[in-house]
Structure formats: C-alpha cells, structure tokens
Amino acid sequence: MKPEEERGVEEGKQKWVYEFSRGTAEGDASMKDILGGKGANLAEMSRIGLPVPPGFTVSSEACRYYFAHEGRKPEDLAVQVEDSLKNLEEACGRVMGDVSCPLLVSVRSGSRVSMPGMMDTVLNLGLNDDSVRGLASDAQDERFAYDSYRRFIQMYGDVVLGVDHASFERLLGQAKSDEGVYLDKELSSEVLKRLVLSYKALVEEKLSRPFPSSPFEQLWGAIEAVFNSWHSPRAKVYRRLNGYSDDWGTAVTVQAMVFGNMGEDCGTGVAFTRDPSTGENRFYGDYLLNAQGEDVVAGIRTPLPLTKASREDLGASGLSLEEELPEVYEDLEGVRRLLEKHYGDMQDIEFTIERGKLYLLQTRSGKRSARAALKIAIDFVGEGIISKEDALMRIDALSLNQILHPVLDEKGEWEVIGRGLPASPGAACGKLVFSADRAEQLASSGDKVILVRPETSPEDVHGMYAAQGIITTRGGRTSHAAVVARGMGRACIVAISDMDVDLERGELRCHGLTLVEGDVITMDGSSGEVMKGEVDLVTPDLSGDFKTIMEWSDGFRKMKVRANAETVLDAKVAVDFGCEGIGLCRTEHMFFEGERIHAMHRMIMSSSVEGRKKALYEIEEMQTRDFEDLFMVMEGRPLTIRLFDPPLHEFLPHTDRDIRKMVEITDRSLEEVKKRVEQLREMNPMLGHRGCRLLVSYPEIIETQARAIFYAMRKVYEGTGGENSPDCEVMIPLVGDKGEFEEVAKVVKRIGDEVMKDLPLEYKVGTMIELPRAALLSDEIGEVAEFFSFGTNDLTQTTYGLSRDDSSSFMGDYERLGLMSQDPFQTIDRKGVGRLMSLAVEGGRKVRPDIKLGICGEHGGDPSSIAFCEEQGLDYVSCSPYRVPVARLAAAQSRIMKLRQLLTSV
Amino acid sequence: MKPEEERGVEEGKQKWVYEFSRGTAEGDASMKDILGGKGANLAEMSRIGLPVPPGFTVSSEACRYYFAHEGRKPEDLAVQVEDSLKNLEEACGRVMGDVSCPLLVSVRSGSRVSMPGMMDTVLNLGLNDDSVRGLASDAQDERFAYDSYRRFIQMYGDVVLGVDHASFERLLGQAKSDEGVYLDKELSSEVLKRLVLSYKALVEEKLSRPFPSSPFEQLWGAIEAVFNSWHSPRAKVYRRLNGYSDDWGTAVTVQAMVFGNMGEDCGTGVAFTRDPSTGENRFYGDYLLNAQGEDVVAGIRTPLPLTKASREDLGASGLSLEEELPEVYEDLEGVRRLLEKHYGDMQDIEFTIERGKLYLLQTRSGKRSARAALKIAIDFVGEGIISKEDALMRIDALSLNQILHPVLDEKGEWEVIGRGLPASPGAACGKLVFSADRAEQLASSGDKVILVRPETSPEDVHGMYAAQGIITTRGGRTSHAAVVARGMGRACIVAISDMDVDLERGELRCHGLTLVEGDVITMDGSSGEVMKGEVDLVTPDLSGDFKTIMEWSDGFRKMKVRANAETVLDAKVAVDFGCEGIGLCRTEHMFFEGERIHAMHRMIMSSSVEGRKKALYEIEEMQTRDFEDLFMVMEGRPLTIRLFDPPLHEFLPHTDRDIRKMVEITDRSLEEVKKRVEQLREMNPMLGHRGCRLLVSYPEIIETQARAIFYAMRKVYEGTGGENSPDCEVMIPLVGDKGEFEEVAKVVKRIGDEVMKDLPLEYKVGTMIELPRAALLSDEIGEVAEFFSFGTNDLTQTTYGLSRDDSSSFMGDYERLGLMSQDPFQTIDRKGVGRLMSLAVEGGRKVRPDIKLGICGEHGGDPSSIAFCEEQGLDYVSCSPYRVPVARLAAAQSRIMKLRQLLTSV
C-alpha cells in the first residue's frame, strides 16, 4: 500500500473503514499504522481463512481527522460505518438491537504499537431492553443475559459516558446486601433486572439524559470515546516516555461477539505456539471450559493445559483440551501451524470456543526468553519457514546478556534486603568488603568478595577487579562504578538509597539489618536486587544455539566488533567472545596498580622535566611488558591504545594516611604535597587539564608511552619471528583542534620512526572525537589524523552539558515528567550527538576518503546505537568484552536492515 | 586587481616583479598581499609623485612558487629582475658595480602584515672592490666608503651567508686593539681596507668560497635569503600566535640607496602627520642632520624637532628642520598634506635628505592614543578628507576602554609591587581588605577599598561590589573574579602568582614586603600592575569627541546594544552609556544579598514543596521590588530576565562558622546541614543540576520568580499610569531540549496570564542557547521559544569541553606553542562555536522567521565577535555596562563592513 502521506487524509474520497470476515479482508498485517496492531492482525487472519469473528476497523486516519477538525468526524464516516455494519449483520445473520436474533459487538482501541492508557474494550455493545431478550433465548439463560446487560451498562457508563465506576459498585453492593448474598453470581435474574433499572436511573441522574438504548447511538458513543482516549493523560505520558508521536491516533475495531461461557461446549484460552521459556516445539497454553477471556487471566479458576502431554507432565487434575474437545483441538493445531508458517514467528494467540466452534480473537509475536529466542529462530530456519536473515532479526540482541552472565538458580529461595539500579548484569555471591584493598587481599587468598562502597573512584579499580560484584549506594547507571564494572564484566548495582554504608564502623545497614565485613551476600546485577546469604547460581553455556547465531551474525555483518580492554584477562574474554581487535585500551588504568602509583606520585611532585622523566622511566618498563602481553593475546588483531587521558589529580590521595604515604614515597614535605594536591584541584575535572592538554604540557608522558608501545611491538615481532605482526593504532584523547593533535602526534611519530625504522611494522595515529568542536572541525583534524574513534560518553556529556556523575540528582524528575525518553548515555541521542557524528563522518571522509571510523564509547555495545553506526558507515564498534556477542548480532541486524532499506528504496 | 587565486601563480606568463619610480609604479597600496606593506606603499607614494628612491619589488607569489617547488625560483624571474635592474640603473643614471658611478641598493623583506622574525634589511648591496671607489668619490670620503663596505660584508655575511656575527666582531675588536683605539669611527680608511680583506678571508674560510664580488650574485643571494627567512623559527612562531597563514610568503623590495650621512645638507627623520597622543593637527617628529636612519632610533645623538613651534615649546637646543633647511621642510609639509589627503589617515613616515633633496622611505598608518584616534577621525571628517563611515572604521573600538575608565596620572610616580593578568580595565586605589564582609563594612563607612583574595566565589559578590577593585592570586581572565568584575565595571587583576595571600594571618606578601588590612594600594586593571600607596588617577571625560563618535555610530549600526546588569546602579550606568535594554539580568545574584541567603538556606534545607514555597515567599517580595526598580530605570526598554541558573550548592557555606550560622537559621541539626551540603556536592558543577534542570525539579522557584516579575510589571504599569509600559523577556537557562523548555515555560505563562490578564502588557518567553545540543536542535526549540540569546560563555565551555575556571593551568603551554591563537572566551571561535551559532540561527529562523536573536555572553562586548553577530544577522548584542560604548561603535563598524562587502559582491 502507499504510505499514508501520499494517500492523504482528505474528506470525500477517503476510505475510513476496513472490513474483515473469514476468508476476506480489506486490510492486512502490514497496515498496523492505520488499523492498529490488533485490527491489522484480525484482517490478516481473516484473509488467510482463519476463523475470526467478522467485523470492521475504523482507521486511525479517521481519528487524526477528528483531532485536526476540533472533534468533528469525517462526513462520510457515518455512511461507511453503516454500510459495514449492514455487511456485518448479513455475515452473522443477526441484526443490531433485534429482539430475537441480536448482533452484539465488542469495541476496542488499537494503535500501531501496543500502548496502555487508552480505552479498554467495551463488550456486548448492542444490548438494550429488546436485544437482551434475544440474548437470553440464544443462551437459553435469562440470568446470563441480564448479567451481561448489567455489566455492559456499567462498562459503557464508566468508560464512554464517564459515570464514576464506584457509583455502579455501590448499587451492586446495595443489591447484594439487600439480598443477603456475597457473590455477584448469587444474584438472580430478577434482581439483575432491577439492577439494570437502577443503573439506568443512575446514568440518567448523572447525565440528565437517559442511557442510550439505540445500538447505533451506543456504537458512535464508543467510537468517539476510543478517539478521545488517545489523549488521556496516561496515554500521553506513555507516549512521551517512549518517544511515540501524538499524531498517530488510534484505530477502532468493531467485532461480532462470540461467547465462551454459553455452556460446556464453550471455552476460552491463550496459547504460545512454542514453549516461550525453552523454545521447544510444543504447543504451550491454557484453557477454561465455559468461561470468558478474563476468567483465564483472573485466576479464580485454574486453567488447564492444552495438550495431553502437558497435562501428564504437570499432573494436572482435569482434562486437556486435546482430550476434552479433540476436534476443536485439532482445529487449533491447524491454526498453530498455519500462523507460524504465515507469520514466520512464534505466536501468542487468544481464542474462544462457542458451542464447539473455534474463533481466533488475537495473534501477535510471542514474548520469549533469550534462550528460547535463539532456539526458535534456529528451528524456524531448519523447518524452512524463514531465512537466516529473518532469524537474526527476530532476536533481541540485548537479551543475549541474559545468557552471558551467571543467573540466580530459580529453584533457590532468597531474601531481598536491598534494591537499587541494575548497572551491570550478572549474579554474584561473596563476602562483603568495604575497601578496595581488603577486596584484593581476600580475593588473593581465594575468597570471593562483593565490594560495597558509597561510590567508587579510580583508586578503587584494583578492588573492583578483584571482586565478583560491586554495590554502591550513590551514583547512577553511568557512574564510575557502573562504567568500570560493565567494562570488566563485573556485576554491579548502584543507587541503593535505602542502604547505609558506614565506612568508619565497617557496617552495612539496611532494613534494620546490620552486616559487617565477611558476611556473605548475593547480588543480581540484572535486577538490582541484593540478597542475604548465598544463593545458588547457574553459569552460562555458550555452545550450541548461541554459537550458531554468532556464526550466522558474522556472515552478515559488515562492521567489525572490537572490545574495550586493557588487561590480559579482559582481552582474553573479549577474544573468546569473538572480538576482532581492541578499540580502546585505557592506558592510565595501568598507572594505578601497585608500585606504579608511587612512580606517578613522584612524577607529579617533580618540578623538572628530568625529574618527571626519571619517575616515568620506572613505569615505562612495566608498561612495555603490559603492551607485549596484550599484543600477544591479540595475535595480530589491531590494538588501539589511547594515550594518557585523566587529570593528574585522579592519582592523588584523599585520606591523611595516603597523603602521608605519598610524602614518604616522594621525599617531599607534607606541606609541599598538600600544596600540590591543592594546586591540581579542579572545579570541573571533566573539562579540565586532561587528555591531549596534559600531553601537551608534559610531552615526556607521550615519550614514555610511545616508547613502551613501540618497544613492545618490536619485541613481539622479534619474539614470534614475525608471525603475528602486532597491529597498533595510537589514539590521542580530547582533541579539539588540529594543532593539538599535531603537537602530540609528532612526538609519537618521532619515537615510532626511531624505534621501528628497520622493521616492516606499521602503525596509525588517530584521535578520539569526543568534543563537539572536534566533530565540527573534523575536516581540519582529518587532514592529520589517520582514524577517528567516537568517544560518545564524553561527546554526550559535552553536547548535553551534562555530567553523568551528577545527572542522577535530577534524572528521576525528568523520567517522571517524560522529558528524557531514553538515557543518552546508553543510546546515542541521534538529534544532537548523532548529528555531530554525521558532521564528523562527513568532514573526515571529505579530506581523507579512506579514514578509519569507529566508536569506543559505551554506546558501542548498544544495539540501537550500533544501528546508527551502521547507517553512518562506521568501520567498527568497540564495546566492553561482555557486550561483544550483543554487538556481533546487532551489527548483523543493522546491516540487514540497511540492505533491506536500500532494496525498498530502489 | 583580481584576487590572487584568479591570476594564478603559474610559471611563464606570470608577472613577478613590480617597478616603482617617482611618478609611476606598477603596483599600488591595495597590493599589500603580493608586494608586502612596505612595497605597496612605496609604489603608492611613487604613483602619486612623491620623492621615493626608485626600485622594484619581487612579489610574494615568487616566494610561494619558490616554496612550492622545493627552492627553485620561477624560470623567468631572472629575466624580469634583470630588466627591472636595468630600468633602475637608467632611472638613477648609475650602474651596478661601476667603479665611478655605482648603483647601490637596499634589500628588504615585506609581508602583508608587519611581522618580526624575517630577514632584516641589507644596505649598500652592490659594493665590491670597484664600486667602493665610486662611492668614495661620490661621498668625497674614502673612510666613509670603506666603512660602508666593511659593514656591508659583515651584514651580508651574517644574514645572507650565515657566517657568525661574532666572528666579524672579533676581527673588528682585534683591529681596534691593534690600533689602540676604542671606537669604530676612530679606525682609519687604511685599517678599514685591511679589515675588508680579513672579513673576506673569514667568509672564504667558513664557506670554502670567496665572498661574492658580483653585485648580481649578491642580489640573488639576498633575495633567496629573504625568501628563506619566511620560514625562520621566530617568524613561524609569530604567525602561529597571530593566526597568520604560513602560505602567504614574503615580498622582496630592492631600492636605490640614498644617504643621509654625506654631509651637513643631509639628514634623516621620522614623523607623525599629527600629534599621536592628543590628535592635534600639528606636524610631530624628529630629525638629525648628517645621519642615517638607525642613528635616530639608536639614541646616541638627540634628535631635534621638525618645527620651530615645537622647538620653542620644548626649549630644545639646536635648530628645527623648519629653520635649518626651510626648503626641505616646505617639501616635507607638502608631503604631509598630500599623504593625509591621499590615505585619509594620519601617517607615520620615514624620510632621508640627501644633499638637500628629500626622499620618502616609508609611510604607514600611525599608531595613536584612543583619545587622539577620536579627534583625528572627527577632524578628518571636518576637513572633508574622509566620510563618517571611514572615520568610524579608523577607530579601534576596544581602545575606547582606555577612555571609559580612570587611568593612572602619568605625571605621578609609583612603585610596582606585583604584576598579574589584566582582567578588567581601569585604575583604582584604596585600602587593602581580605574579605568581602570587611570590604562592605569599610565601604559603607565611606572608605575606598581593594579586595584581595586567592580567588572569589559567588559569596564574595557583595564585597566585590563594595570594592573599587579586585585582585586575585589565582584564576584566569575568565575566572569568577574577572567575569564579575568586568560585569560590574570594577578594576580587576588576576593570577598574580608572585603574591601570597595569607588569609589566616591577614597578610599580603610580595617581594619581601608584607602588607596588612588598611594599607593603601593602587592597581591598574588595564596593565595588570599593583602599586604600593596612593597614585593619582585621572577620571574620564565622556563629552565632546567621544559623544560625537557614539552618535555617528548609532546612525550606522543596525544591531541594538543591550547590557548585562542586575542592579539599579549597573542599569543606570548602562543607560548612561546608551544601552537600549538589558540583555541579561542574572536573577540569582539577587539571592545572595543580606537576608535573602538565609531564606535560600531555609529553602534548600526544606524537604517539602510547601516548606520551600514558604522560604521562597520571603524572597519573592524582595525580588518584586528589585524588578520594579529595574523596570523603572529601563523606562520601557526591554528587560531580559534569566530565571534562576546556578546549582544550589553555590549558596551553601564552606566555613565552619558559616555552617553553624546556617544551622541556626534553618533550625536543623549540624548533621542534617552537613549531610545536605554533601548531598548537593557535584563532580562537575558546570554540567550539573542547574539552569532549567533545577527549575524542572523545583517548579516553585519558577513560580516565585514569575510572580515577582509579573507583579513588578503590574505595579510599574499602574504606578506610571501606563506611560512607560514595562517590556519583559523571560529567559530560560541551560535548555537542551524542547520538552524542558515547555515544562518551564508553561509555569511562567500560567502565572503571567493570571497576573496580567487585565493589562495591555506583553512579554516573551525564550531561551539561552548555551549548549551544543540546543544549537543542534534549534529548529525544535524554536517552535516554542520566542527568542534565542546565545550564552557564548557556556557554549564555548561545552563546545571545547573546557572549563574556563580550570584552563589557566595549561593555557600558558598552549600560548607558548602557538596552539591557541586567540582566547575563545574573549573572541568567538568561529569554526566551532560560531558554526553552532550559525546552525542555531538557521534552525530558529526556519521555524520562526521573526525570532528575536541576541547574544549575552561576554563576547557581546568583543568587536570581532560583534562583527560575527552582524554577519549572522543577530538583532542585538548584550555586554557589561562598561562595554556598551565599545559595542555601539563595533556594531556600527560591523554594519559598515557588511554593507561594503555586499557592495563589492554585487
């Protein structure tokens, strides 16, 4: 069909109403935008001959017209609805409002995406004092008919006419107390008839006009109520939160009623076409005999399984549908096979059985566990239903996280003692410690530990590394703790505001409980929950389906996937997960460990270039070995080494004890050390003396690092007999100007050329693009930089003028008000940050067509951001080691999407 | 002439050499780009018939060719130079190298802008063993000729051949000691002849080839040396620092020598065509009889005044040129009148008199004092030489600063005790104080005070206001102290690193001196100097010429000029200086004063909306009065009020004493107060919970401010009988997204509509554009914001990712390396920040063609930035009150430039 813009929402020639009836339909599944998800799928099922109660859908275009014309409906909408209603009466052999053979309908809202906040369903529309009698004779049950009538008035009165729900409930309660009964169903048909009268009187009193008895008036009221529910406060907030447009409008589906509660040959049920938890190819669902849809959900009666096999597995009392109504079951099995084949996906369906006849009321893609998603996708390919591309597109890339990390064993039991923001996935269990040093001590003696802090700083990194998981009471999902933990693949929970860490006493207090060092706790970084004691964990299995999907992904994707890693362990994890290089090795992490921080302190305290060089020389040797090890692990894959980035004060001690230690090590007076600490203090460290600015001030740091890099390359090359030529990309951080880059790059190149002049090794020198100015001046910077790597963490901070460390204080307010539909630190903000990226890609390519482009911010592991990178034509994404599989799949999906868009646009 | 790109720098058809001779020239003054400033003006003077020694200029295009072709000169350059040389010989009636009538030339470098670091002049080129005899007979002085020859070899040997200057000096010293004399001029011509021989031997020894005796070889050597001097390290650094292109290249001017030292009818001098210090229309200059140019500068002999009147004024001994050589003086007077008329500006000239004949060697625009610049410009218009536009374009807008502030009385004497960065202009004198409170106390009892602090914070603002001037030992030119002082028009000096402020002892130590509270000091915020004791000051006079120039400016400019002001005093100053509105009223400054800070503390400590409202109510009444007063001062001019901007922690106390005070005032426990202080602490306050983010969290602040604004408008309107309708623009800070803006604007509008519904008053609600994201999303934000005001301070910080508070730690390194050619916090960075501004202007106008656009960052007072604003078509600039006159002139200049560009492009 044409896009809606082309068809034009104009009065006169416009089609507003789309009918469906078994075997024929004016709409189809592709028309979700104008028929809503439900309406489009009802049309599709009718079209392919499935038993769907007939009906019609008023398009969302009518709704848009309605809002664009101050609540006036399109003129010819009335005619079209009347026509469709006549056709519906004919198809059903029933007439609206008829005293003997009445047509009753349901009216439902439906937008292009599932959306809470809009009008609920109105059932049994068409009932009045005449047609209720027809319903009674149809059902051969007067009580049933009048109870339906009462419910209809209540529902219609509430959602369409705006009469307070509680007023009806008061009358109902009154009736029960008058009768001396407790349950609705104990009311007799006589009482119900009186209740209908008092309900109608209530409505008339409230609205000063009678309850509409004309089915047509009822119908128009319901349609308008659905339209207006599009702008209900709840729906608006939901749209704002999800970034959905207010302009979409809602469709209205009017469908003939079928009843699952007219006797023992009736029933209703819901089913998944496969097992949504394991993905096994077996019919999975529940049903209830003689019941309505809401009874299955309400849980008053226990639903029974569909198949005999399940019933036996579960040991359920009562027969399965397969045994109870074998013919209906047979029909349902047919529907199942047809739907899967037709939609090419596992479906979640609703059905009703009226007098031994099966009706489908809804179908949609079924939600499933990550593991099931893999199995189903692979099985569908095996069964020849879908292609590999389709299989990959079916899987939520992020859900792979569920498979990659340990999870709580569902069979276990636990007591939750705190709840915070899930900041890095995976479950972990260990002894509680309050300091990084203790974490390291205990871990080195073989204990598993969980590090709990108010917040973490770079000084805690060694302890975070030693721990199984990290918990902080402050900070947000992009705080230091969260970022570092995700990078390391450690479980992490942040912002547990109801926990109190008392570092002085060494106590963790929560909910009246006091824990001390050594107490065992368990944490789930995926849910944000902290548990007391040890909970059993299930560790991941990465063979089988997972492996298959990864292989397929690699076959489709064009972008390379690299990892952000600086330790041998992380690099190995990343290689095991299939990374094709390291996109970000943060060398400063290497300056914190053990003796090195002492050398750093001596460097910082030195007032002469020579003194600094001497201190740096100590680090140089160690760093050379670090790089050697990394080059060995990478076996010829590219290794992107970012030169020293943080401000110097990050290396300085905060506590008196540490300051005294620094005095001792640097051989300076306490006053000198304190003065230097004060001197290096910054108002806004994020915007301060760091990155290439620091390198410009202290070129001896560049020299040290460049020598370490190039000597390591030399050694690895010579040591391996040239078999795995080390491949290195030297990256300069925080560049905002061509001159800065050149100033640093010339030192790197001088040393590179010196150290490796006789070897056949090459290297590139490039830059991070992490400041708006770098993006805006990319055409100048691209003249000298051989690659760009988007540092989207900092780029997001500067573009928004928003410190991720400080944003937690008001992000809650923003989310509540719907002002921040997605976390820009998680998913690239396309309009702002993304636009700068586009400018940079364009500028860089203009001056250097073969410039290598990548991303190394956290966004490199986010599927939606990866799609953006594919759109921009980046060469690679780089993410934390545990995100590599997610990125491999997401890169394949992005590629498939891009190619499909190309195809449709041709 | 055509732009050089079009003419093409190609070999073969290219003209490389431009001749000039009295009455004719191939070049003119507009050709500075290819002839250099000196060459172009020599051509121009020749062209208009002034007595210029003939010569020719090798264009900078030849130099560019030379560098583009690895040091190869254009093939036909040799022919063109030879031809021109022949013409020159003809014009002079002399021949290069001739034994009886030799032509001698000078060779000079010359770029389009005056630039140190390139080759100095080579004089007397053409001397060899033959021509020296010709010179001797010409001058009738053999000693003179051989001394010239010796000097030529030394100069040429040094700058062209690269023979160490000291080696020549050693030989000269040797000769003097052999002769037993002390002065060069005591050497006889015989000794000088021998010295020439040993100089030549020295050159031959060093270079293994003889000193070139061929004048042509000498000439080519000099031309190439000039070319190569373009890339001397000093020239390169200078270009980087000034943002000049390495591609320009230098021209080489070859000119016949004239001698001012051939007898008593010879001489040399320099002159300004008017008095450069007062601007008075009188010939102002010095001369020396029988001397060379360098003698005037060297200061060995005292030069004499040009005119009889000056001689009498000065009581100089010796005759003026007017008396000594009346005919030559008459010629010079003619030259003076002609040059002024021709160039339309006051000129700075150099001349030589050879045997009673006047020669002009250079002319250029003369530097002058700010006061003189005004007078000269106005006089030139009065004399009918230039138009008013030209007059305005002649004046350096920034120089007006010199007139607007008190200056040190030059007649006084002083002792400088410290030197820092000049941060806010003007001289001030007063008693030394170390705290804001003491500043206020002493000032209120009538004392003038100078506040000295390590650095200032918002808590010091009342003291800064009370002081005459502020000195900080830390911080940069854009630190808090500097920004606030400039805003208030207070003198300010920052970063005096050799001063030590000891707050505990109440001492200021510098250079062994210890000052205490009450000691009088004087400071000059224009030079950065601090003086001991009281120095007399001269206060400004703003009538007369200043007033005329302002009136003319207002006649030409299109952009309005507003001021950044929040106090009645500042607003009055701004109105007196001619501002047309307030572009930025920072309301939070009103929250610091006196009792208000206590209400703020109660607000911050309150955990309920109601509690906060109660505390804010106290402020509301006071703020209403503030706004009333401002509206009254503005008399109907627009007042742009920015809603509350800073993070809350800026209001919190730092010292124990102040924290205890806060405990008392808020009736909370010390622990609670400390906890709240800790809670509000931010890692990067610049990027934290401030601006509209804070307003979204605490809408009660918006309500308070909106009520204060609108009730003030109401009262002023009613109080003045509607005569001066208050005009208000409410500005929302730190917006990065449309939704944020709407959230805050809806509260403002609700209250505005409530309070003023029955009045014929209007107001606008708009936003600051101070984040890259706001600029990038300007088309969305422009849909809801009625005006944009560029907050270029913050926009620069975020675009560069550079905190101005922290940049001083490395800016020194950047300046040293030429990596920061201009301070982006002073002048808009066009490539980065400017590009974002262009995007925002475009986006805003797209969705709202009549959107009002202004700038309120500090750049609003910077002429180069004002020119950029005019290019972008902004409606107004807003700057600190003392910058208003600068902005009025700069806006007129920008407009004139824009119109002229339009004219030339048609």
Side-chain angles (χ1 to χ4, degrees), chain A residues 240 455 474 500 678-679 681-690 692-694 696-698 734 736-737 739-740 742-743 746 771-780 797-807 809-810 813-814 816-817 819-820 829 831-833 835-836 839 842, chain B residues 240 455 474 675 678-679 681-690 692-694 696-698 734 736-737 739-740 742-743 746 771-780 797-807 809-810 813-814 816-817 819-820 829 831-833 835-836 839 842:
Chain A
R240 266 175 99 164
E455 58 194 345
R474 294 182 51 161
D500 215 27
E678 167 63 13
Q679 202 177 34
R681 187 172 60 84
E682 292 188 306
M683 300 285 284
N684 295 287
M686 162 72 212
L687 310 176
H689 195 189
R690 50 175 285 243
C692 64
R693 297 165 191 167
L694 198 75
V696 164
S697 296
Y698 303 106
L734 213 72
D737 196 88
E740 276 176 338
E742 290 178 300
E743 194 67 30
K746 79 177 179 200
L771 297 176
R773 196 170 192 272
L776 294 163
L777 274 76
S778 55
D779 50 351
E780 290 191 9
Q797 296 197 84
T798 45
T799 303
Y800 271 88
L802 179 59
S803 158
R804 57 182 189 182
D805 291 313
D806 303 314
S807 61
S809 56
F810 59 93
D813 297 321
Y814 271 57
R816 181 174 48 78
L817 293 165
L819 295 179
M820 192 66 88
D829 155 48
K831 290 180 189 172
V833 176
R835 186 159 173 211
L836 284 176
L839 288 174
E842 194 185 310
Chain B
R240 268 176 99 162
E455 57 195 343
R474 294 182 48 159
K675 196 174 166 187
E678 168 64 12
Q679 203 176 33
R681 188 173 58 84
E682 291 188 309
M683 299 284 286
N684 294 289
M686 163 72 212
L687 310 175
H689 195 189
R690 48 174 284 240
C692 64
R693 298 165 189 166
L694 197 76
V696 163
S697 297
Y698 303 106
L734 214 72
D737 196 88
E740 275 175 338
E742 290 178 299
E743 194 66 31
K746 79 178 180 201
L771 297 176
R773 196 170 192 271
L776 294 163
L777 273 76
S778 54
D779 51 350
E780 290 191 8
Q797 294 197 82
T798 45
T799 303
Y800 270 88
L802 178 59
S803 157
R804 57 183 189 181
D805 291 313
D806 302 314
S807 62
S809 57
F810 59 93
D813 297 321
Y814 271 57
R816 183 175 46 80
L817 293 164
L819 295 179
M820 194 64 91
D829 155 48
K831 291 181 188 172
V833 176
R835 186 158 173 209
L836 285 176
L839 289 172
E842 194 185 311

Side-chain angles (χ1 to χ4, degrees), chain B residues 387-454:
Chain B
S387 65
K388 284 184 186 172
E389 286 102 310
D390 284 328
L392 293 179
M393 294 305 289
R394 292 265 182 279
I395 302 167
D396 172 13
L398 270 185
S399 73
L400 293 183
N401 267 329
Q402 296 171 26
I403 302 175
L404 301 176
H405 295 91
V407 292
L408 298 179
D409 185 346
E410 290 193 10
K411 294 182 200 101
E413 286 193 354
W414 52 76
E415 180 195 346
V416 172
I417 57 170
R419 198 169 266 120
L421 294 177
S424 178
C429 178
K431 286 183 178 170
L432 180 59
V433 291
F434 296 105
S435 83
D437 291 341
R438 282 297 284 161
E440 203 172 42
Q441 281 166 16
L442 289 184
S444 67
S445 64
D447 278 328
K448 294 189 167 181
V449 299
I450 306 285
L451 176 62
V452 180
R453 303 276 306 164

Side-chain angles (χ1 to χ4, degrees), chain B residues 461-536:
Chain B
V461 169
H462 63 289
M464 298 171 73
Y465 196 73
Q468 303 292 307
I470 299 102
I471 296 173
T472 68
T473 51
R474 294 182 48 159
R477 266 174 292 189
T478 46
S479 64
H480 177 266
V483 172
V484 174
R486 279 198 292 275
M488 291 177 171
R490 299 292 179 278
C492 182
I493 300 173
V494 299
I496 309 199
S497 48
D498 50 355
M499 269 193 179
D500 213 28
V501 177
D502 186 335
L503 292 180
E504 277 175 37
R505 291 185 167 191
E507 286 179 2
L508 174 67
R509 288 186 294 269
C510 49
H511 299 279
L513 210 69
T514 301
L515 299 175
V516 297
E517 185 182 296
D519 286 348
V520 172
I521 57 173
T522 302
M523 62 184 288
D524 184 352
S526 310
S527 70
E529 288 176 342
V530 181
M531 277 72 57
K532 200 178 141 186
E534 185 171 347
V535 179
D536 284 340

Side-chain angles (χ1 to χ4, degrees), chain A residues 707 710-711 714 750-758:
Chain A
R707 271 195 302 267
F710 297 122
Y711 277 116
R714 189 174 183 101
R750 172 167 55 76
I751 290 174
D753 295 350
E754 264 167 40
V755 175
M756 306 203 300
K757 60 174 175 291
D758 52 342

Side-chain angles (χ1 to χ4, degrees), chain A residues 420-484:
Chain A
L421 294 176
S424 179
C429 178
K431 287 182 178 169
L432 180 59
V433 290
F434 295 107
S435 84
D437 290 341
R438 283 297 285 160
E440 202 174 42
Q441 280 166 14
L442 289 183
S444 69
S445 63
D447 278 328
K448 293 187 168 184
V449 299
I450 305 283
L451 176 62
V452 181
R453 303 277 307 165
E455 58 194 345
T456 64
S457 73
E459 288 172 26
D460 298 318
V461 168
H462 63 290
M464 298 171 74
Y465 196 73
Q468 302 293 308
I470 298 101
I471 295 173
T472 68
T473 51
R474 294 182 51 161
R477 265 175 292 189
T478 45
S479 64
H480 177 266
V483 172
V484 174

Side-chain angles (χ1 to χ4, degrees), chain B residues 564-636:
Chain B
N564 300 348
E566 40 274 330
T567 66
V568 165
L569 189 65
D570 283 346
K572 279 186 179 155
V573 168
V575 169
D576 287 346
F577 277 140
C579 84
E580 293 157 303
I582 286 180
L584 176 63
C585 168
R586 285 156 290 212
T587 51
E588 62 271 12
H589 284 197
M590 302 168 171
F591 286 65
F592 284 107
E593 281 170 37
E595 289 297 306
R596 303 184 188 188
I597 188 86
H598 300 158
M600 274 306 284
H601 287 167
R602 279 190 286 271
M603 197 286 272
I604 293 171
M605 285 309 298
S606 177
S607 52
S608 73
V609 174
E610 282 319 308
R612 287 196 292 271
K613 283 191 173 173
K614 203 176 139 210
L616 284 166
Y617 188 70
E618 300 174 45
I619 295 171
E620 186 180 321
E621 284 186 85
M622 296 182 270
Q623 193 151 54
T624 308
R625 279 196 302 278
D626 292 336
F627 290 142
E628 263 181 77
D629 294 343
L630 280 177
F631 281 122
M632 290 300 290
V633 174
M634 295 319 289
E635 293 183 323

